Each structure stands twice: as structure tokens, then as C-alpha cells.
Amino acid sequence: MSKETYENEDERIHERLKQKTWNEIRSNDSWAIFKVMAEFVNGFETMARIGPSVSIFGSARTKPGDKYYLLAEKIAEKIAQAGYGVITGGGPGIMEAGNKGASAGGGPSVGLNIELPFEQHFNPYIDSDKNLNFDYFFVRKVMFVKYSQGFVVMPGGFGTLDELFEAITLIQTKKIAKFPIILVGREFWAGLMDWIKAVIVEKYANANPEDLNLIKMVDTEDEVLEVIDNFYKKYQLSPNF
């Protein structure tokens, strides 16, 4: 099945609104199921061999030398040295820093890349046998949450927020276990957390105050590792090696 290509966004919108016959729908949409299945099977078979890992989320736009790039690199290196695998989105920026740090720390370095029209490309610090590529965001997100025993969230944009709130929602609704969610950089995250507490929780009561306990805010690599280690000790778990 070939990918759909469009000259511009208007053409894409018109194509979506165009009335289609049942045969066209069946031909295009039904066969896509097999591609989705193939991505799930490949992802499950690869990720199941890795063992306990921590996902690092963050912006693809963060440049090498930026303080958060360097911090993500240090965090990933310490995580790997402690025996945990590191999973990133496989692209540049914070993702590259995470894989670079994992490689330096001697731990599994996993990349779950998504095909995008801009920004995204594989970084060179992913283990060759742990380099996965996805067309579907929802399949990729399943791999993140199914095989992660902790989430480290660096400063980022809409994609990072999407991954953050996906993890929070799945934990809050008990669809996955209560693994630690760590926001790195109080100067970046404090405003969002203040708004969530003041507006979502207190003013409108749209979330349980206890849900905020799912999230920790830190500033250093040592604080990140402390949160992860405390979680593993509490539940008498152990990392990869």
C-alpha cells in the first residue's frame, strides 16, 4: 500500500471530504489494518527482549550544547549505568541526547522513530538492533507505555505534552501501573503544574488532587535517579543488570 502524497494542505482536506465508494473505503482502510498489525508485531518482538527501561521525552528542536540537551545526556548516562534501558523517540534534540547518554553509560539504547515530513530522523546513538520505525503514532505510543517503567519528561512542545498526558491518563485510569513520571526543569514545568492545580483541580474539580502525586518535578540528574531508584526499591524490583 503506497503512502498518500499531496501537493498542499488544501488538496489533503478536499481528499478527506470527498465522497468515496464502499470499494474505495474497503481497499484503502481495511488493508491498512495489516500494516498496523505488522508494526505491532515487530515492536512487540523487539521491545520484549530489552527488559526494564525508562522513556525520555523531549523536544526534537533542542540543539546540542543547550543546557537541557546536556542534562538529558547526563540523565540517560546515569540511568544506563544504574542498569536500566533508555527508550527515546529516536530522533534529534533531546531524543538524541538520551540515546547518546545511554550509549555512553553502556546500557540498552532504544529508538522509536516516527516518519514525519520535518524534524524527525534517526540519530546515530541507537543500538542497531533496537532501531524501530513507525508510520502510526498510536502504535509507537503503545511501545512507549507498554515497555517503560518510568517516564523522564524534558522540556518540549506539543508532542512532548501529548506523551506526558498519555502516560498520566493511563496511570490515573489504572490502564498501566503507577510508574514514576519525572518532569525535568522546574523553570519550564512549574507554570503548567501551577495551572493544573489552580484551574483543573481546585477551581473546576476536573481531576483528583491525588493525581498530582503521580508527578515529580526535579532539576538534576541525581534527583531523577533518586526517584527511579526509590520506586524500584519500594517494589523490590531490579533493573537489567
Side-chain angles (χ1 to χ4, degrees):
M1 179 178 170
S2 60
K3 289 185 180 180
E4 295 175 304
T5 57
Y6 304 96
E7 292 295 327
N8 53 57
E9 190 62 25
D10 287 345
E11 182 182 345
R12 184 174 190 174
I13 293 171
H14 284 300
E15 175 64 24
R16 287 291 182 265
L17 295 175
K18 187 175 71 174
Q19 187 70 31
K20 296 182 180 179
T21 67
W22 169 244
N23 285 333
E24 287 177 314
I25 295 172
R26 184 173 59 181
S27 175
N28 292 327
D29 296 348
S30 298
W31 281 103
I33 294 172
F34 294 100
K35 186 169 185 179
V36 171
M37 289 173 59
E39 289 198 358
F40 272 122
V41 170
N42 185 42
F44 288 157
E45 290 185 347
T46 301
M47 299 297 291
R49 297 193 296 266
I50 296 168
S53 299
V54 175
S55 286
I56 297 180
F57 302 135
S59 177
R61 304 185 184 196
T62 305
K63 304 299 182 184
D66 180 273
K67 68 176 183 178
Y68 286 117
Y69 182 104
L70 298 175
L71 181 54
E73 188 177 344
K74 291 177 183 177
I75 289 169
E77 184 172 2
K78 287 215 167 190
I79 288 173
Q81 287 172 344
Y84 308 98
V86 171
I87 303 172
T88 81
I94 293 295
M95 295 173 282
E96 177 182 287
N99 290 125
K100 185 177 180 181
S103 295
S109 180
V110 185
L112 308 180
N113 198 48
I114 185 76
E115 292 191 6
L116 297 175
F118 55 89
E119 289 183 357
Q120 193 81 345
H121 55 78
F122 278 123
N123 69 68
Y125 302 102
I126 305 166
D127 295 342
S128 59
D129 60 337
K130 300 177 180 67
N131 193 352
L132 295 173
N133 200 41
F134 297 91
D135 280 330
Y136 298 97
F137 264 111
F138 66 90
V139 179
R140 179 180 182 242
K141 287 165 74 173
V142 168
M143 300 305 149
F144 271 124
V145 299
K146 182 176 176 61
Y147 294 100
S148 295
Q149 282 77 50
F151 304 95
V152 175
V153 191
M154 306 295 298
F158 292 127
T160 302
L161 292 174
D162 177 49
E163 291 158 342
L164 166 64
F165 286 112
E166 176 86 7
I168 293 171
T169 301
L170 290 172
I171 292 174
Q172 181 259 334
T173 56
K174 303 186 188 303
K175 295 298 183 182
I176 63 173
K178 195 178 290 187
F179 295 120
I181 297 174
I182 309 166
L183 305 183
V184 180
R186 285 185 174 89
E187 67 174 5
F188 185 89
W189 295 110
L192 174 64
M193 294 307 298
D194 288 344
W195 178 80
I196 290 173
K197 181 180 179 181
V199 178
I200 293 180
V201 174
E202 296 177 354
K203 184 174 181 179
Y204 290 99
N206 287 336
N208 191 319
E210 292 182 1
D211 292 340
L212 297 181
N213 296 330
L214 299 171
I215 307 165
K216 305 291 184 184
M217 268 197 302
V218 305
D219 285 314
T220 69
E221 63 270 25
D222 290 331
E223 289 176 295
V224 171
L225 198 62
E226 181 181 5
V227 172
I228 295 171
D229 281 344
N230 287 342
F231 170 82
Y232 271 75
K233 289 174 183 175
K234 178 180 178 180
Y235 293 99
Q236 298 181 327
L237 302 172
S238 60
N240 290 311
F241 51 87

